Each structure stands twice: as C-alpha cells, then as structure tokens.
C-alpha cells in the first residue's frame, strides 16, 4: 500500500492463506482450479503448493492437493496451551453421553464462534459441524450468547431476560432448519468468560418443556462445576 511502511498485507502470504482455505473448503483441488479461483498464474499456485508440500502442510493426491495432517499439531497446540480447557473436554463427553445429543464448547475469536470441543451422543443428528469450525456469532445460539455476554448492550432484550432469569439461552439454530439448542456460559469466579457449552438436537425434542429443562439443568450444573475447577485448579 502506498505510503504504508508496514507494507501489509503481504500479497504472497495472502495467496498462501487463501490456497489453504480453498483446500479446506474443497477437500481436494488441482492447480488449474485453484489458479482460476484466485485469478493468479498456474505457476504461482504450483510454487506455493510445492513449498507447502515440502513442509507437509499439503499432500499431493491423484486429483490435486489436500491439507496435510500437520495442521492437527497446530490445533492440538492451541487447545493444549489454554490449561483451563483441559477441564472442559471430559465434561463435553459426559453431557453428550447423558443427553444422547450433540454437545459443543465454543469460544469467541474476533467476530466468530469457534468449536473447540465436540462430542456426539447416541441419537445425535448430523450437523456437518466439526472441531475448529468458525461460525458467525449470529448464526447459532451459542454465538449469540458469546456476543450477549461480551457485548450485552448489543443483545436483544428477550434473550437477555431469558438468560438472566434462568441462566441459559435457548433458540432455533439458523444454520440448520429444525435444529434447536440450549447454551450456557462457562465463567470463572470473577465472571471472566471461558466459553459457552451448548447442546443441540431436533426441535421436536428440545422444544419439549420438561426435556429442555432437564438439559438446561445438566448444562448449568456442569457450568457451575467448571467455574470452580477452572478458577482454582493450577496447571
């Protein structure tokens, strides 16, 4: 950029990052396809991919290139360095086992909700969500709760009243029709937000008042337990 001594963003780095994003979206893609999508020369894409392949970030396939397993190391490192999250993972499994539904734990990263942990119970529906997925805050109940907790002035009154009265937020998911969820915040004793626990399942089940209350109570109990554990456990 003219007059900008920092000279950012660096175009070649942006090309690499966009290549990786496209491979994540498409699973496998060839040089021609990627070059057309990025509107750059095939030789440029080929050089980027070969460099990434040398370091095991991408893997050559018959149909093109795909992401390599090396990215698992990065994801595992990010989760492991936040010691308090170690307390959360087994609780997500417990909730999924007890409810039979999908249980997820989200944190906020800028303007998106990120799935840090996820487990599926015996009767869980397929949501095509995965660990590491980045979802708009406004597209799911957990995201709205993350926004509501951090920016309560921007939350709508109905959601705020529901959370204040019962300690949880419930609503229909917008990213999948017919999916309903219940979410609770996980905080430390000083009210610092750690993340949001959520159970999602078919609306016909989670709209049942008695069942929804049972799920909410389970989430609230786990949230309370985690509040103590993450606040007073040394790592």
């Amino acid at each position: 950029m003219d007059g900008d001594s920092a000279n950012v963003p660096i175009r070649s780095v942006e090309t690499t990052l966009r290549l990786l994003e496209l491979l994540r979206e498409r699973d496998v893609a060839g040089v021609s396809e990627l070059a057309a999508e990025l509107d750059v020369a095939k030789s440029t894409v080929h050089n980027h991919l070969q460099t990434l392949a040398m370091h095991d970030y991408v893997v050559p396939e018959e149909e093109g290139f795909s992401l390599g397993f090396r990215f698992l190391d990065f994801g595992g490192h990010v989760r492991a360095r936040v010691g308090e999250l170690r307390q959360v993972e087994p609780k997500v499994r417990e909730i999924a086992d007890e409810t039979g539904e999908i249980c997820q734990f989200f944190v906020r990263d800028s303007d998106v909700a990120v799935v840090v942990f996820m487990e599926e119970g015996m009767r869980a529906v397929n949501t095509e969500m995965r660990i590491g997925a980045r979802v708009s805050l406004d597209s799911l109940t957990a995201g709205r709760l993350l926004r509501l907790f951090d920016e309560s002035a921007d939350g709508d009154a109905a959601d705020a009243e529901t959370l204040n009265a019962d300690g949880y937020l419930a609503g229909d998911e917008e990213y999948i029709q017919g999916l309903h969820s219940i979410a609770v915040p996980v905080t430390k004793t000083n009210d610092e937000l750690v993340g949001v626990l959520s159970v999602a399942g078919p609306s016909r089940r989670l709209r049942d008042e008695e069942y929804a209350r049972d799920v909410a109570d389970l989430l609230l109990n786990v949230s309370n337990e985690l509040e103590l554990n993450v606040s007073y456990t040394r790592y």
Side-chain angles (χ1 to χ4, degrees):
M1 292 181 286
D2 293 341
D4 187 350
S5 59
N7 196 30
V8 292
I10 300 172
R11 183 167 297 179
S12 62
V13 175
E14 285 210 316
T15 298
T16 298
L17 294 174
R18 186 64 185 125
L19 276 172
L20 294 173
E21 289 171 351
L22 286 171
L23 290 177
R24 183 197 62 200
E25 293 169 6
R26 302 182 182 186
D27 291 335
V28 180
V31 172
S32 298
E33 177 185 356
L34 293 168
E37 180 69 27
L38 294 173
D39 193 24
V40 298
K42 292 180 184 179
S43 59
T44 299
V45 170
H46 180 267
N47 290 339
H48 278 270
L49 290 171
Q50 289 299 327
T51 301
L52 289 166
M54 287 174 60
H55 297 280
D56 300 321
Y57 289 105
V58 301
V59 178
E61 306 271 3
E62 261 188 52
E63 301 85 1
F65 289 82
S66 63
L67 294 181
F69 284 109
R70 186 155 189 185
F71 283 103
L72 289 176
D73 183 42
F74 282 83
H77 172 76
V78 171
R79 294 202 306 182
R81 73 180 175 83
V82 185
E84 60 203 19
L85 295 185
R86 298 173 196 164
Q87 305 284 339
V88 177
E89 186 173 15
K91 294 301 178 183
V92 171
R93 176 73 265 171
E94 286 180 22
I95 294 168
D97 286 344
E98 187 162 341
T99 63
E101 311 286 4
I102 300 168
C103 182
Q104 297 162 318
F105 181 76
F106 296 86
V107 298
R108 182 172 181 172
D109 186 15
S110 187
D111 291 327
V112 297
V114 181
V115 182
V116 179
F117 300 113
M118 174 178 168
E119 295 288 351
E120 297 181 352
M122 292 295 291
R123 56 179 183 169
V125 296
N126 180 23
T127 64
E128 297 187 351
M129 190 75 81
R130 64 184 183 277
I131 292 174
R134 301 168 65 83
V135 189
S136 166
L137 292 175
D138 294 323
S139 68
L140 72 170
T141 304
R144 292 195 293 274
L145 182 49
L146 286 168
R147 184 190 296 280
L148 177 64
F149 197 94
D150 287 346
E151 306 167 7
S152 57
D154 295 331
D156 65 59
D159 284 354
E161 289 173 5
T162 300
L163 179 61
N164 290 338
D166 302 309
Y168 70 92
L169 188 63
D172 287 316
E173 302 283 8
E174 298 174 8
Y175 76 100
I176 291 183
Q177 186 175 3
L179 194 71
H180 198 78
S181 69
I182 297 172
V184 302
V186 176
T187 64
K188 298 181 181 180
T189 53
N190 63 0
D191 291 332
E192 178 186 347
L193 184 68
V194 177
V196 168
L197 273 173
S198 173
V199 166
S203 297
R204 61 181 174 80
R205 285 204 293 262
L206 284 177
R207 281 179 179 162
D208 179 84
E209 187 173 340
E210 184 176 352
Y211 179 61
R213 183 71 251 183
D214 288 343
V215 171
D217 285 343
L218 174 61
L219 285 170
L220 290 167
N221 288 336
V222 171
S223 175
N224 183 60
E225 182 180 344
L226 286 171
E227 178 182 350
L228 298 174
N229 287 340
V230 300
S231 297
Y232 299 116
T233 301
R234 291 182 178 272
Y235 302 103

